[in-house]
Amino acid sequence: MKKIFVIVLVMGLHTALVSQEREDRFSVEILDSEALQLIDANAKIEVIGSGFTWTEGPLWIADGDYLLFSDIPNNTVFKIDALGNTSEYLKPSGYLGKSDYGAEPGSNGLLLSPKGELVLMQHGERRVAKMKSGLNAPKADYEAIADSFEGKRFNSPNDGVFDAEGNLYFTDPPYGLPQQMDDPQKELDFQGVYCLKNTGEIVLVDKLSRPNGIAVSPDASKLYVAVSNPEHAVWYQYDILATGRVENKRIFYDLTPMVGQEGQQGLPDGMKMHSKGYLFATGPGGVWIFNESGKPVAKIHTGEKTANCAFGKGEKILYLTADDYIFKVSLK
């Protein structure tokens, strides 16, 4: 009995030490005082979920007070409720076949349509789809809303954002294909940024090496796209002329020199636009907060490869998907 007690005690101490070591990597770095209107320097990062494989696509559902997120390798959407309970919400979420389909078959980005429908970027099905059932009665029954461009199947839609008029901008890198860029099933010879207009028309906005996260400014005049290419790790900014039409492409911020440095895990990935015009963008080291001019004003250090983020509770909470964890951070 003593031996068992000692083993349990040692294991408990080890877990506590690992947890403390992880929390020691958490911090908020204020780079400009204007960030203090958004977040405190001593804001705590809290682990609210763990034990997944690769988390993505966080989406807070106000009507129900819960968080949805994708676990891409497990082809599942999970739910965390207001009490912190985690449950399976949808499975399968991105690949409906019976055979194996690469390392990332599941859904990636999750969105709410203007009609309140759950929209999923489905890696395995290579399409943008919506769940046919309501949010309170989820079923793995989907309807494609965009699956090809000029007769060729998409690679693996990754992330998207609706503008105020219900037009959907989304990215299509190769990450969900079993062999990615070299996959024999790849039909398009480029990686695109698209706009699915509310009329149903699909427009090619731009071609990028690894388009990923995407956001629109509060006044709908600017489009932002993350490029998760380790050799060109940048965020682009465009002026929106009309729905699906952009000009004046420029680099909003370049983090290529930081890629691979100690403590700078990850690449430009998912992002969300705050109503005050600040861009919260996951990238090397955690989450970068930029003002409208492209200046970093704060950084949330997570110590993990951080894939995406989402606001909750009237922008008072920031939820993060980071490797196999779900974090939350209090905002002002």
Side-chain angles (χ1 to χ4, degrees):
M1 182 67 75
K2 289 183 179 178
K3 227 181 244 191
I4 293 173
F5 175 77
V6 171
I7 291 172
V8 170
L9 179 61
V10 170
M11 288 176 65
L13 288 172
H14 174 73
T15 300
L17 288 171
V18 170
S19 177
Q20 184 60 50
E21 182 183 347
R22 185 178 297 115
E23 291 182 10
D24 288 344
R25 299 202 301 269
F26 296 166
S27 65
V28 175
E29 181 181 4
I30 302 298
L31 304 173
D32 189 287
S33 60
E34 69 176 287
L36 294 174
Q37 66 178 300
L38 300 169
I39 189 169
D40 283 326
N42 60 356
K44 301 297 183 183
I45 301 176
E46 182 183 348
V47 178
I48 62 169
S50 62
F52 308 101
T53 304
W54 176 249
T55 58
E56 253 285 8
L59 174 64
W60 185 67
I61 306 298
D63 185 11
D65 192 17
Y66 59 87
L67 182 77
L68 298 178
F69 62 94
S70 300
D71 187 345
I72 303 177
N74 286 320
N75 200 15
T76 303
V77 171
F78 286 99
K79 170 184 175 180
I80 297 181
D81 66 21
L83 299 176
N85 301 311
T86 302
S87 60
E88 185 177 293
Y89 184 81
L90 276 177
K91 184 180 180 72
S93 65
Y95 177 59
L96 309 184
K98 297 188 181 302
S99 59
D100 290 336
Y101 186 85
E104 297 195 4
S107 60
N108 194 320
L110 305 175
L111 300 84
L112 277 186
S113 76
K115 296 180 180 179
E117 303 160 310
L118 180 64
V119 173
L120 307 92
M121 304 291 151
Q122 293 187 313
H123 274 188
E125 296 300 310
R126 300 169 64 178
R127 67 185 185 180
V128 182
K130 66 179 181 181
M131 183 176 69
K132 291 182 181 180
S133 58
L135 294 173
N136 293 328
K139 294 180 181 178
D141 188 14
Y142 310 102
E143 177 184 337
I145 60 176
D147 58 12
S148 62
F149 177 69
E150 296 183 345
K152 296 182 178 181
R153 294 183 71 189
F154 290 129
N155 301 313
S156 54
N158 183 284
D159 208 353
V161 60
F162 283 100
D163 69 11
E165 297 178 348
N167 304 293
L168 174 63
Y169 291 87
F170 66 96
T171 58
D172 185 41
Y175 296 132
L177 292 169
Q179 298 180 44
Q180 298 196 14
M181 285 292 288
D182 300 321
D183 198 286
Q185 300 179 79
K186 194 176 191 295
E187 297 182 16
L188 293 164
D189 61 2
F190 61 88
Q191 288 64 246
V193 179
Y194 298 91
C195 179
L196 172 60
K197 295 184 177 183
N198 55 22
T199 61
E201 180 187 3
I202 298 176
V203 178
L204 177 64
V205 177
D206 197 8
K207 298 177 182 179
L208 296 171
S209 62
R210 296 291 189 279
N212 204 311
I214 191 165
V216 173
S217 62
D219 63 0
S221 67
K222 302 287 190 298
L223 178 71
Y224 301 83
V225 182
V227 178
S228 51
N229 182 344
E231 296 178 359
H232 188 59
V234 303
W235 289 276
Y236 278 115
Q237 183 186 63
Y238 306 78
D239 294 330
I240 299 176
L241 295 179
T243 303
R245 288 180 53 210
V246 298
E247 69 171 5
N248 194 21
K249 174 183 178 180
R250 65 267 191 195
I251 290 179
F252 184 68
Y253 204 79
D254 187 348
L255 280 178
T256 309
M258 298 187 70
V259 174
Q261 291 186 14
E262 186 177 355
Q264 303 299 328
Q265 304 91 336
L267 292 162
D269 205 323
M271 52 188 176
K272 296 296 184 295
M273 178 62 68
H274 193 278
S275 61
K276 292 181 179 180
Y278 291 88
L279 184 66
F280 284 63
T282 62
V287 181
W288 295 69
I289 305 175
F290 297 99
N291 65 13
E292 293 177 337
S293 64
K295 178 182 179 181
V297 298
K299 187 175 180 184
I300 302 170
H301 298 271
T302 65
E304 305 288 344
K305 290 182 180 178
T306 307
N308 213 330
C309 59
F311 298 114
K313 299 185 182 296
E315 298 182 330
K316 296 299 183 183
I317 299 290
L318 182 70
Y319 294 100
L320 308 176
T321 52
D323 208 327
D324 55 333
Y325 298 97
I326 304 294
F327 300 145
K328 76 172 184 180
V329 188
S330 294
L331 302 177
K332 291 186 175 179

